[in-house]
Amino acid sequence: MRLSKSLLLFLSASGVSLSSAFYIPGECWNSLHPEHDVVWEVPLTFAICFSSPTTQLPYAYSELPFVCPASKDGFGSKFGSSRAIALNLGEVLRGDRIQISDYELVVGKDEVCKHLCDREVNRGAVERAKELVRGGYVVEWIVDNLPGATSFVTADKSKKYYAAGFKLGFYENDKAFINNHVTLVLRWRKTAEDPNRKVIVAFEVYTKSIAGPIGQCPESLESQKPLELSIPHQSTEDGTAMTQDDGKTMSIPYTYSVYWKEDNGIDWASRWDLYFVNDEESTSVHWFAIVNSLVIAMLLTVFVAIILLRTLSRDIQNYNVSGAADPEAKRKAAASASEDMDEDETLDDTTGWKLVHGDVFRPPNVGGLFAPIVGSGVQLLAMSVALLVLSAVGVLNPSYRGGFISFGLFLFVFAGVFSGYFSTRVYKTFKGEQWKKNALMTALLFPGFLFASVFVLNLFVWAQASSTAIPFGTLCALVIMWLCISLPLVFVGSFIGFRKAPWEHPTRTTMIARQIPAQPWYLRSVPTILMGGLIPFAVIFMELLFVFKSLWQDKSGYYYMYGFLALIAGINMVTVIEITIAITYFQLCSENYNWWWRSFFVGSGSAFWIFLYSAWYFMTKLQIEGFVSGLLFFSYSFLACVVYGLLVGTIGFLSTYAFVRRIYGAIKAD
C-alpha cells in the first residue's frame, strides 16, 4: 500500500501545479450557513509527536500505544473511506504521518466536556509514555491546515504569539503525568464576501492532566488531581517488587472541550503570523547580521580592488613594456606604467604569476573526478537559487507542508541538465573524449553518495520505529526519480555540452611542467583552505544561529525569513568569490600553478567551520540523549556541510577560472 502511494506521488510530482504552492487564503470549506440549517464538521487530524531538547526521533501520534486509536468507521467515514491522509513527498520525508481522529468538531457548537475513550494500557505502554514525557515530547494536531498551538505572550506582554504543538505531559517530583484532557479553542471570523461563511483563523490547545472517572467527564475540571502514569508493582513473598510485566493495567480516560470564538482581529491571509510574532522581535538581529556581512564583504572588496587590481594592472603594463617591439610604443608604455610606480620600484618580469603562463592551464590531477564534482555543484547551485527565490516571494511558505523539500527534490532532479552541461564543458576543456563515461559519473557520484548515506541512516531510524524512517515505497520512488529522470537529463545536458567547442585558453601549455618552488607556510593547502573559509563563515555566522534553531530546536516552528537568508546568501557568494580569487592570485605569484583543486577547496573551506559550529551547537545548545539521536545530528550536519561545500566550492572555482582567463588573456599578445 505504501509502495503504490509513493509511486503515485512520484508520478504526480512531475505535474505539480504551481497554484498549490502559493499561499492563497481563499475561503475555508469549514463553514456554516444558518439559513439552510447545514451543520459542518471539521476534521481534527493527528500528526507527529516530537521532542526538541533530547532526541531527534519523532513518532506518529496515532501509533502510540497509550492514546485513543481512531475507529475504522464512524466520524472518519464522513471525510472519506480512509483515515490516512495522502501526503506529498516532502511530508513523508520530514516524518509526517497524518490521520483523521475521532474528535468531533462541529462548527459553532461548543462542548463543555466530552468523553472520547478510555485507553487500557499495560505496563509496557505506561513505561513508553513515561519515557516520552520525560523526553519533553510535544504533540502536533492539525485543523484546517493549522497546527494546534500553545499560546504565549511576549516579554513586554504587548503581543500574543503561538508555538505549534502542546506538551504530551509533564514530569514533576520524579513522577510522570499525562495530559489527557484538552481544551480546543477555534477562532473564526466571517468573510467579507459572504457574512454567513465562517473561516478558521486560529487553533489553540490548552492541556490538563485529570485523574477523572472512567467512561465519563468529571463534574469539575478544576478540582481534579493530575493523572500519574504508574501501575503499582506486585510484591513477591519476600517483599521485593516484581519488575516483569505481571499483566496489570491502568486506564487512561481521554476527554476534551471545544469552544468557538469569533475573532475579527485576525485576517485569513495573516493567520500564520501569530506563529512568527516572537521571531519578529529578532528582526533587528537579522538586520545587524546583514550589516555585519556587508561590512566584511565591503572591506574584502576594497582589498581586492585596491591591492589586486592595481597590482595586476601594473604587472600587465610592466609585462607589455618589456615585450613591446616598437621602441616608441615601448617608451609610451613605460611612461604610462611609471605613473603607478614608486621611485624605488623597478621593472621585474622574472618572478610572479607571469612565469607560470605555460603551466597555469595544465589539467589538474584526477581531472576525471573534478569535472563531475563541478557539475554536481552547478546542479545544487541552480536548485538553491530557485528555492531561495520561490521562498522569498512567498511561493513556498509554512502553510504548504513539505513543500520546501518536495520542490527541492523536484528542482534538483530537473537541474541535472545543468549538471551534465557544465561537467562536460569542464571535462572537454581537459581534452577528454569519453563524455558518456563522464556523464554517467556525474549522474551517479554525488546523488549515489547522498542516497547511500541516507539509506544507512534510515536503517538506524527504522530500528527505533520513528516516523522519519523512509518507507520502502518512498525509497523506490526516489530511486526512480534519480535513475529514470535525473540520469537521462544529465546525459541530455552532457550531449549539448559536448557539441559545444571547448573553452579556449589564452596561453599555451608547455610540454614539460615547471618545477614549483618551496611555498611559504601560509600558502600551503591546509592554511589557505582554513583561512579562506573563515571569512565567508564570519559572514553567515549570525544567520546560522537562526537556521540551526529552526532545524534542531523549534521543530514545531518554521524558518520563514527567507528574504534575510537570500540577502545573506548573496553576500556570502560575493565573499567566497573575492576570497578565492585573492588567494589564487597570491598562489600564482608564488609560482604555484596547481590552482584548480585549490580554488575549489578554498571556496568550500567555510563548510569545515560550519561543521565545527554544529559540534559546538550540539554541546552547548542541545541536550540530545541516545546514540541514534547523536548519530543523526552529526551525520545530517556532515551531509549538509558536504552539500554546502560542494555548492560554494563550485562558485569559487568558476569565478577563479574566469579570473585566471582574464588576467592571462591581457598578456596574450606577448
Side-chain angles (χ1 to χ4, degrees):
M1 186 68 178
R2 179 70 66 179
L3 175 60
S4 61
K5 287 183 179 179
S6 299
L7 291 178
L8 180 61
L9 175 63
F10 152 70
L11 293 175
S12 62
S14 301
V16 63
S17 172
L18 287 179
S19 62
S20 64
F22 286 92
Y23 182 32
I24 302 176
E27 293 183 349
C28 178
W29 67 271
N30 302 321
S31 57
L32 172 65
H33 294 276
E35 69 275 20
H36 299 300
D37 196 24
V38 177
V39 176
W40 289 90
E41 296 188 24
V42 184
L44 186 151
T45 55
F46 294 151
I48 59 175
C49 185
F50 60 91
S51 172
S52 298
T54 61
T55 180
Q56 302 300 320
L57 297 171
Y59 299 95
Y61 179 78
S62 59
E63 298 176 2
L64 296 178
F66 52 86
V67 303
C68 290
S71 58
K72 296 182 179 179
D73 51 13
F75 179 70
S77 62
K78 301 176 183 179
F79 302 98
S81 59
S82 174
R83 286 188 172 273
I85 302 297
L87 306 177
N88 60 46
L89 187 57
E91 289 177 307
V92 175
L93 293 178
R94 70 192 294 265
D96 285 345
R97 303 294 183 266
I98 302 178
Q99 188 179 58
I100 298 176
S101 70
D102 284 349
Y103 286 85
E104 297 183 8
L105 309 180
V106 180
V107 175
K109 181 181 179 181
D110 292 346
E111 295 282 358
V112 177
C113 184
K114 192 167 185 178
H115 179 262
L116 180 66
C117 81
D118 297 313
R119 184 65 190 267
E120 200 77 16
V121 294
N122 57 22
R123 197 177 299 277
V126 170
E127 292 301 321
R128 177 63 171 159
K130 293 171 64 176
E131 177 186 355
L132 296 183
V133 170
R134 189 182 300 110
Y137 270 77
V138 174
V139 178
E140 183 176 295
W141 290 351
I142 302 172
V143 169
D144 192 31
N145 201 34
L146 280 176
T150 301
S151 178
F152 297 94
V153 294
T154 55
D156 57 1
K157 299 183 179 181
S158 61
K159 291 182 180 180
K160 177 181 179 181
Y161 71 94
Y162 288 159
F166 59 92
K167 288 188 176 182
L168 179 66
F170 58 94
Y171 208 73
E172 190 175 274
N173 298 326
D174 294 330
K175 297 179 181 180
F177 301 88
I178 189 168
N179 291 322
N180 58 330
H181 178 86
V182 292
T183 299
L184 310 176
V185 178
L186 295 108
R187 301 186 181 275
W188 59 273
R189 65 170 297 160
K190 297 177 181 179
T191 62
E193 295 79 8
D194 185 357
N196 293 320
R197 183 177 292 275
K198 302 174 182 178
V199 292
I200 299 175
V201 293
F203 174 32
E204 301 172 2
V205 181
Y206 300 90
T207 60
K208 192 174 183 62
S209 180
I210 297 176
I214 303 300
Q216 59 182 347
C217 282
E219 295 181 359
S220 174
L221 295 176
E222 301 299 329
S223 61
Q224 296 296 319
K225 295 181 179 180
L227 179 61
E228 180 185 355
L229 291 168
S230 176
I231 299 178
H233 287 280
Q234 181 179 358
S235 299
T236 60
E237 295 181 356
D238 58 358
T240 59
M242 297 178 61
T243 58
Q244 68 271 19
D245 193 349
D246 52 10
K248 284 192 173 183
T249 62
M250 72 171 292
S251 185
I252 304 178
Y254 284 91
T255 56
Y256 64 99
S257 304
V258 182
Y259 296 96
W260 294 83
K261 304 290 186 181
E262 185 175 5
D263 193 336
N264 294 317
I266 306 175
D267 294 328
W268 165 261
S270 60
R271 63 178 189 163
W272 279 85
D273 291 355
L274 285 172
Y275 294 88
F276 307 133
V277 168
N278 193 42
D279 291 335
E280 287 178 356
E281 297 184 349
S282 62
T283 301
S284 58
V285 182
H286 284 277
W287 281 115
F288 180 77
I290 290 177
V291 172
N292 172 72
S293 302
L294 281 174
V295 169
I296 295 175
M298 289 176 62
L299 291 176
L300 189 60
T301 301
V302 170
F303 171 77
V304 172
I306 295 180
I307 304 299
L308 294 186
L309 297 184
R310 183 179 177 183
T311 303
L312 274 174
S313 177
R314 187 165 54 203
D315 281 350
I316 292 173
Q317 289 180 7
N318 294 348
Y319 193 88
N320 291 334
V321 165
S322 62
D326 185 7
E328 182 63 22
K330 185 174 182 178
R331 184 189 63 78
K332 292 181 179 180
S336 177
S338 62
E339 295 178 359
D340 296 329
M341 297 172 59
D342 296 332
E343 294 181 357
D344 296 334
E345 290 180 330
T346 59
L347 298 179
D348 185 4
D349 304 314
T350 62
T351 60
W353 58 272
K354 301 177 293 298
L355 291 181
V356 296
H357 64 86
D359 298 279
V360 70
F361 293 107
R362 189 179 300 280
N365 297 327
V366 201
L369 179 63
F370 186 78
I373 288 179
V374 171
S376 297
V378 173
Q379 186 177 10
L380 290 172
L381 178 62
M383 178 199 72
S384 302
V385 171
L387 280 178
L388 282 177
V389 171
L390 291 175
S391 300
V393 300
V395 175
L396 300 179
N397 54 81
S399 67
Y400 183 22
R401 298 176 65 90
F404 194 87
I405 299 177
S406 297
F407 266 74
L409 288 173
F410 175 83
L411 292 170
F412 180 80
V413 167
F414 283 90
V417 175
F418 302 103
S419 174
Y421 178 81
F422 280 92
S423 175
T424 301
R425 294 301 302 273
V426 174
Y427 177 74
K428 196 173 182 181
T429 301
F430 299 156
K431 309 301 181 183
E433 297 293 337
Q434 298 178 342
W435 69 273
K436 295 180 181 179
K437 178 181 177 181
N438 177 75
L440 186 64
M441 183 176 293
T442 303
L444 299 180
L445 183 63
F446 176 69
F449 166 74
L450 279 184
F451 182 82
S453 301
V454 172
F455 179 80
V456 172
L457 292 175
N458 192 61
L459 296 177
F460 288 92
V461 180
W462 173 79
Q464 298 294 317
S466 173
S467 62
T468 51
I470 304 175
F472 177 76
T474 305
L475 288 174
C476 292
L478 293 175
V479 172
I480 293 174
M481 292 176 65
W482 173 25
L483 299 180
C484 297
I485 299 180
S486 180
L487 189 146
L489 289 177
V490 171
F491 270 86
V492 170
S494 297
F495 177 74
I496 297 174
F498 190 75
R499 290 176 61 89
K500 296 284 186 178
W503 287 321
E504 295 293 335
H505 294 152
T507 61
R508 296 180 180 179
T509 301
T510 58
M511 295 294 295
I512 302 176
R514 182 185 182 89
Q515 184 177 1
I516 300 175
Q519 300 292 298
W521 69 268
Y522 53 85
L523 287 180
R524 295 175 183 174
S525 298
V526 174
T528 54
I529 293 173
L530 294 180
M531 291 187 296
L534 188 58
I535 296 179
F537 173 74
V539 169
I540 63 176
F541 170 75
M542 298 187 67
E543 197 67 24
L544 276 179
L545 181 64
F546 294 97
V547 175
F548 272 61
K549 186 174 183 290
S550 176
L551 289 175
W552 300 113
Q553 287 185 284
D554 298 340
K555 291 191 172 184
S556 59
Y558 305 87
Y559 185 92
Y560 76 107
M561 295 187 176
Y562 292 106
F564 288 105
L565 187 61
L567 287 174
I568 294 293
I571 298 172
N572 181 50
M573 186 181 300
V574 173
T575 306
V576 168
I577 291 173
E578 292 178 340
I579 195 65
T580 308
I581 289 176
I583 290 180
T584 300
Y585 172 73
F586 292 135
Q587 177 185 342
L588 294 176
C589 287
S590 188
E591 301 180 26
N592 185 355
Y593 51 83
N594 292 324
W595 61 273
W596 299 84
W597 281 106
R598 181 75 66 87
S599 64
F600 178 87
F601 286 123
V602 169
S604 61
S606 54
F608 171 79
W609 295 104
I610 293 177
F611 186 76
L612 288 183
Y613 176 82
S614 66
W616 171 84
Y617 193 88
F618 177 86
M619 292 184 291
T620 59
K621 301 295 184 179
L622 302 177
Q623 295 83 40
I624 293 179
E625 300 174 357
F627 169 77
V628 175
S629 295
L631 175 67
L632 292 177
F633 176 88
F634 283 103
S635 297
Y636 283 121
S637 296
F638 175 76
L639 289 178
C641 290
V642 169
V643 170
Y644 169 80
L646 188 59
L647 191 154
V648 293
T650 300
I651 294 174
F653 159 71
L654 292 177
S655 58
T656 302
Y657 182 67
F659 168 76
V660 173
R661 283 168 53 91
R662 176 70 175 176
I663 63 174
Y664 284 96
I667 61 172
K668 186 176 179 181
D670 179 51

